[in-house]
Amino acid sequence: MDLARYFFYYLIFPGFLFTAVVGLLTTWVDRKVTARVHWRVGPPWYQPFADTVKLLGKEIIVPAQAQKTGFLLMPVIGLAAATLASTILWVVNLAPESSFIGDSIVVLYILTIPAVSMIIGASASGNPLGILGSSREMKLLFAYELPLVICLLTTIYKAGSFSFQRILELQQAGGVMLGSFSGVIAFIVTIMCIQAKLTFIPFDIPEAETELAGGTHLEYSGAALAVVRLNMAIMFFVLPIFLITMFWGGISFVGWRILTSILKYVAIVVIIVLIKNTNPRVRIDQAVRFFWGPMLILSIIAMILAVLGY
Amino acid sequence: MVKKIPIGPFHPILEEPEFFELHVDGEKVVDIDITIGWSHRGIELLSESKTWDQVPFLVERVCGICSASHPYAYVLAVEDLLQVEVSKRAQYIRAIVAELERLHSHLLWTGLAGHFIGYNTVFMWCWKYREPVLDILEAVTGNRNHYATYRVGGVRRDVPQEEIPNIRKMLDELWKKNDMLTNAILDDPVIHARTKGVGVLGWDKCREYGALGPTARAGGYDVDARRDHQTDAYAELDWDVVLCQNGDVFDKAVVRQLENFEAIKIIRQCVDKLEAMGPGTEEDLVLEIGEIPPGEGLGVYEAPRGEVFHYVRSNGGNMPMRHKIRAPSFNNILTNEYSVLNYAVADAGLITAAVDPCYSCTERVGRVDTRTGERWVMSEGDLIKLSQEKTEMIRRSLRGK
C-alpha cells in the first residue's frame, strides 16, 4: 500500500497534478501583474492552461543536427525533478514527522536538476544560439549556487539540523528565521538567487529573447515546449515555497494559518515579479560579478551573524 | 574557437529583415558581416513613373516612421529645382508635423531599446506616451502615420485653430512624461551598467563612417541638417542641437531624450506663430506650381535618424527623370562594423539597435560583373524576370525531392 500512497503523493497531491495547476496559476499571476505594471489588461486566469493544452496538440519539430534523445529527454527529467522537489517540500510542510535526515540538502540538490537538464537539452539542440544559451545557463548556475548554499546554511546552522522537521519546529517555537538580522540578509540574497534560478529578468540571460531569441528554449516546440514551460511554472511554484520553509515558518493548512500561508506565498511571488519588471537584463559577466561579489559577501556576513547569534 | 552567431535575417530584435553575422570567441564579438538587401522595393524606380505630385505619397512609404522626413526632403528638392520659397504658414506646419514625427520616433526608439535589454516596462510606457503624439498627428493631418501633408510648393492642410489648445496641452503633458523618462534613464544603475561605455563610436569614427543624426551627435560629431542647411522655418526658431561626447549607447539614448525637449520647444513656437496668424486661405498654404522645367534639385532634411537626402532631375516632363534617395540608416548601420567589435554578444544586439536602424530604407540593388567590371542597373522587368526564374528553380528543386 505504501507504494500506492507514494504514487498518489508524487502524481496527484501534492505532486505533479497539484503543483502543475498551482504553478500555472502562479504564471498567470506573473503575467497579470506584469501586464498591470505595463498598463496592459493582461490575460484571463485560464490562459496558461489554454497555452499548455494548445502546445500539447502541436507538432514537435526536432532539428536535423539535434542529438534526439538528449534533446527530448532532458525537459522530462527536469520536470520529474521539479515535481519531486515539490512533493518532498509539501509532504514535510503538511506532515513534519515524515521528514528525513538531510532532506533540505536533497531538495537543494534536486532543484539544480532542471537547470542542468536545460543546459544539456539546449546543447543537444545543435543550434548555435541554443548552445550559447546553455553556456550562459552554466555560468549562471555556478554564479548563484554558492551564495544560495551559504544563505541556506545560516538557517541550517541555527536549527542545528539538515532536516526540514527541525527547521520548521524551531521556527514555530522560537520565531521565524526572518525575525533575525542574519535571516533578513540571507532572505534577500536568496530572493536574488531565486530570480536567477528562475531565469527571470534581470537574470534571464540564458533565454534573452531579444539576443538569443529564446536561447535554451529556442528549438523546443509542441509538447516538448509545453513540458519546458510547465517545468518553469513548477519551479516558480516550488522555489517560493522552499524560501518560506527555510526562512518564513513554512506552509500550514491548519486554521487561520491557511490565509497567512497563501499571503506569504503571494507576497514572495509579487516581489519576484516586480523585480522582474523594474530591471533591464544584465550581461553574464555582470551577473557573475554580482553573485560572486556583493551577494557572496552579504551571505558570508549573514553566516557570521548567525554564528554570533544574531 | 571562433563561432558564427546569426542575428537575422529574421530575429526578434529586428523589426525588418536584415542579416548581421557575428563572429564570436566565447562571448566576445571579434568580427561582423553585415548583409543588406532583404527587402528591396525599388522605390526610386517606382518614383520615376509617378507624377511630381504623386511622389510624396510614395516616398512616405520609404519608411513607416520617417514618413514626414522623406516627403519633406523631396519637396525641398523640387522647390530647389524651381527656386521658389513657400509661405511662412506652410513652413510652420511642415515643422510641426516633422517635429511631432521626431517625438514619436524617439519615444519609439527608447521603448525598443528598453525591450532589447529586457526592460519591457520601459517599452510599454514609452509606447503609451507616444500615443497622444499620434493622436495629435491624426488631428492635424488626418493620419497617425503617412501624413500626406507635404506638397510641392506648400502643404496640403492647415492646422485647425481649434486644435491648437489640444496640441499645447499634449505638449505640456509630454514634457513632464519625457522629463520623468529622462531622469529614469539617467538614474537607473542597471541601465548605466548595460549602456555606458558600450558600443563606443567616437568623433573620428563618426567622421570616417559618415555617421548621421543622433548616432553622430552622441559621439560629438556636430551635424544637423536643419541647422546646417537652414531648412525653412528652422532658421528663425529658437532651438539647440543636442551634443554628447562619449558616443556610447547611453549617450545615444540621452541625445534622443534631450532632442524630444527641443522638438517640443520648436512645436510650441510654431503653434504660437500659427495662432497669431489666424485661419488661413488656400493661397496661404500652397503656391501655384505649373510646369516643372528641366533641371536638378537637392533636398536635405534632418530625419529622426539623421540626414535624409533627395535628388531629383527633371527633363521638363510630368515625372522625375531621376530620383535618388539616401536614407541615414545606410550610413549608420555600417558603423556597426566598428562599434560592435570587442563587446559581448549580449551587447551586440543593443549596439546594432542603438543607431535606430531603419532597414528597408537602406536597401538598394545594382549589378556588377566582377570579371569584366561591367555595370547594369536592373529595371523592373529584369527584377520580375529574376524573381520568376528563382521561383521556377525552387519549384523544380522541390519537385526533384
Side-chain angles (χ1 to χ4, degrees):
Chain A
M1 273 320 280
D2 260 5
L3 199 62
R5 203 173 78 229
Y6 290 148
F7 266 110
F8 178 78
Y9 280 168
Y10 186 65
L11 291 178
I12 314 289
F13 183 88
F16 179 71
L17 194 66
F18 172 71
T19 319
V21 168
V22 184
L24 286 175
L25 275 178
T26 312
T27 63
W28 172 73
V29 172
D30 168 26
R31 286 166 76 169
K32 192 76 183 177
V33 173
T34 304
R36 296 316 299 173
V37 172
H38 288 174
W39 274 332
R40 290 186 284 117
V41 178
W45 68 268
Y46 56 81
Q47 190 64 49
F49 300 96
D51 286 351
T52 309
V53 170
K54 188 196 81 176
L55 280 175
L56 285 174
K58 296 268 179 189
E59 183 189 3
I60 304 178
I61 297 164
V62 181
Q65 303 98 317
Q67 212 279 330
K68 202 170 172 183
T69 328
F71 179 68
L72 291 177
L73 193 62
M74 280 307 147
V76 182
I77 290 179
L79 186 70
T83 311
L84 185 59
S86 171
T87 315
I88 296 176
L89 270 173
W90 275 91
V91 169
V92 296
N93 262 299
L94 298 178
E97 65 282 2
S98 59
S99 172
F100 55 92
I101 294 165
D103 48 4
S104 60
I105 298 293
V106 171
V107 169
L108 184 66
Y109 163 75
I110 291 172
L111 283 177
T112 55
I113 293 182
V116 174
S117 77
M118 278 322 294
I119 293 171
I120 302 173
S123 315
S125 75
N127 184 312
L129 294 176
I131 290 166
L132 195 62
S134 106
S135 93
R136 287 177 174 192
E137 176 103 46
M138 211 182 309
K139 288 170 194 157
L140 200 60
L141 186 71
F142 284 128
Y144 66 70
E145 279 300 313
L146 186 57
L148 179 67
V149 170
I150 294 177
C151 283
L152 299 179
L153 275 180
T154 62
T155 296
I156 292 168
Y157 176 81
K158 282 188 203 163
S161 163
F162 286 111
S163 83
F164 280 125
Q165 184 184 7
R166 185 80 192 91
I167 291 167
L168 288 169
E169 273 170 9
L170 185 80
Q171 297 194 70
Q172 273 152 19
V176 295
M177 295 292 169
L178 207 49
S180 61
F181 282 119
S182 59
V184 171
I185 298 174
F187 184 77
I188 292 171
V189 175
T190 314
I191 283 202
M192 298 315 288
C193 296
I194 283 184
Q195 202 83 13
K197 227 175 170 43
L198 289 169
T199 59
F200 276 176
I201 295 167
F203 306 111
D204 71 329
I205 314 162
E207 285 148 36
E209 183 199 341
T210 47
E211 289 160 23
L212 303 183
T216 44
H217 301 172
L218 179 58
E219 287 295 349
Y220 286 105
S221 55
L225 182 61
V227 172
V228 170
R229 299 276 293 268
L230 205 56
N231 197 348
M232 291 188 72
I234 290 178
M235 287 297 277
F236 196 6
F237 175 51
V238 178
L239 287 170
I241 298 288
F242 188 43
L243 193 63
I244 292 171
T245 311
M246 293 303 271
F247 293 103
W248 210 351
I251 294 279
S252 169
F253 280 165
V254 184
W256 59 274
R257 291 188 60 199
I258 296 177
L259 193 66
T260 50
S261 300
I262 294 174
L263 279 179
K264 280 191 269 191
Y265 174 67
V266 172
I268 291 181
V269 167
V270 170
I271 289 174
I272 290 174
V273 173
L274 286 182
I275 294 177
K276 177 181 164 184
N277 279 303
T278 48
N279 279 291
R281 180 188 313 120
V282 295
R283 271 202 315 270
I284 184 71
D285 57 317
Q286 289 166 339
V288 173
R289 217 171 291 139
F290 176 75
F291 281 114
W292 284 2
M295 289 299 114
L296 184 60
I297 292 167
L298 274 179
S299 60
I300 290 172
I301 289 174
M303 192 68 218
I304 292 170
L305 284 175
V307 173
L308 293 176
Y310 288 101
Chain B
M1 190 190 78
V2 175
K3 268 190 304 184
K4 288 182 183 176
I5 300 283
I7 299 186
F10 302 101
H11 190 280
I13 205 166
L14 306 169
E15 57 270 50
E16 293 162 64
E18 197 78 335
F19 188 28
F20 299 101
E21 194 171 39
L22 303 176
H23 298 232
V24 297
D25 186 2
E27 283 267 341
K28 198 174 94 176
V29 180
V30 292
D31 200 2
I32 181 171
D33 289 335
I34 302 173
T35 316
I36 64 170
W38 299 87
S39 63
H40 183 261
R41 294 164 299 167
I43 289 209
E44 286 177 11
L45 189 81
L46 268 177
S47 155
E48 286 153 23
S49 65
K50 299 265 180 277
T51 65
W52 294 99
D53 246 359
Q54 286 171 333
V55 175
F57 300 113
L58 177 69
V59 292
E60 271 177 1
R61 271 80 182 164
V62 169
C63 171
I65 302 166
C66 304
S67 52
S69 303
H70 281 285
Y72 201 164
Y74 165 77
V75 295
L76 286 174
V78 181
E79 283 155 14
D80 180 43
L81 190 162
L82 292 164
Q83 292 297 323
V84 293
E85 194 177 341
V86 300
S87 69
K88 277 280 166 225
R89 176 184 297 275
Q91 292 184 8
Y92 295 138
I93 295 171
R94 284 177 175 189
I96 289 175
V97 175
E99 292 304 315
L100 282 171
E101 174 192 89
R102 193 178 315 279
L103 276 177
H104 100 69
S105 170
H106 283 349
L107 283 173
L108 181 140
W109 179 82
T110 308
L112 281 179
H115 175 57
F116 295 154
I117 55 173
Y119 206 160
N120 284 334
T121 311
V122 168
F123 178 36
M124 294 292 164
W125 285 36
C126 281
W127 282 49
K128 187 180 164 68
Y129 292 160
R130 176 174 166 262
E131 279 302 301
V133 183
L134 294 180
D135 289 344
I136 291 295
L137 275 169
E138 188 177 3
V140 170
T141 68
N143 280 329
R144 282 159 59 90
N145 273 309
H146 301 312
Y147 318 109
T149 297
Y150 297 84
R151 181 174 174 182
V152 176
V155 292
R156 217 164 280 279
R157 285 174 61 162
D158 199 0
V159 173
Q161 292 284 322
E162 63 271 17
E163 280 299 333
I164 288 178
N166 291 344
I167 298 177
R168 284 222 184 85
K169 193 160 144 258
M170 186 281 289
L171 291 177
D172 290 345
E173 279 164 13
L174 191 67
W175 185 282
K176 277 181 232 148
K177 289 169 183 167
N178 199 49
D179 210 27
M180 191 271 279
L181 211 56
T182 312
N183 289 331
I185 292 172
L186 292 178
D187 290 344
D188 192 320
V190 190
I191 292 185
H192 280 222
R194 279 309 305 275
T195 57
K196 274 211 163 166
V198 167
V200 175
L201 193 73
W203 186 90
D204 50 332
K205 285 292 167 189
C206 288
R207 189 156 173 274
E208 214 170 283
Y209 281 100
L212 295 165
T215 310
R217 291 196 286 273
Y221 189 52
D222 193 2
V223 284
D224 191 313
R226 292 171 292 174
R227 180 201 57 202
D228 301 343
H229 294 268
Q230 298 284 307
T231 312
D232 281 0
Y234 287 99
E236 60 173 273
L237 299 174
D238 170 34
W239 60 283
D240 297 313
V241 175
V242 181
L243 272 185
C244 282
Q245 295 306 327
N246 300 324
D248 51 10
V249 176
F250 182 74
D251 275 9
K252 286 170 190 166
V254 170
V255 164
R256 293 199 172 92
Q257 280 302 315
L258 296 182
E259 274 187 11
N260 280 347
F261 292 119
E262 297 302 320
I264 293 176
K265 266 161 71 181
I266 294 171
I267 302 169
R268 276 182 181 157
Q269 294 172 44
C270 292
V271 164
D272 287 344
K273 302 214 176 197
L274 277 187
E275 196 175 43
M277 283 177 176
T281 58
E282 185 68 14
E283 289 77 52
D284 295 336
L285 287 178
V286 62
L287 299 170
E288 182 70 34
I289 304 282
E291 295 284 304
I292 310 267
E296 58 183 1
L298 304 177
V300 178
Y301 180 71
E302 182 77 11
R305 283 152 189 73
E307 179 190 293
V308 171
F309 170 85
H310 279 236
Y311 165 85
V312 290
R313 187 177 185 88
S314 163
N315 56 0
N318 65 345
M319 292 185 275
M321 190 185 124
R322 175 80 179 101
H323 183 185
K324 166 73 193 157
I325 304 170
R326 196 199 61 185
S329 294
F330 189 58
N331 294 26
N332 287 340
I333 287 175
L334 297 181
T335 65
N336 292 328
E337 190 183 70
Y338 173 78
S339 53
V340 299
L341 292 188
N342 299 324
Y343 293 102
V345 183
D347 293 329
L350 182 64
I351 296 168
T352 55
V355 302
D356 199 357
C358 182
Y359 299 114
S360 58
C361 309
T362 63
E363 312 298 34
R364 54 215 63 220
V365 60
R367 219 175 124 185
V368 182
D369 189 325
T370 48
R371 276 164 303 180
T372 61
E374 205 178 339
R375 286 161 187 272
W376 300 266
V377 173
M378 315 269 308
S379 73
E380 191 184 353
D382 292 338
L383 287 174
I384 291 173
K385 199 159 147 252
L386 265 182
S387 166
Q388 285 168 344
E389 278 168 9
K390 180 85 185 274
T391 315
E392 191 49 43
M393 205 174 78
I394 292 171
R395 200 178 285 154
R396 235 177 292 134
S397 73
L398 285 178
R399 214 179 289 142
K401 273 188 184 172

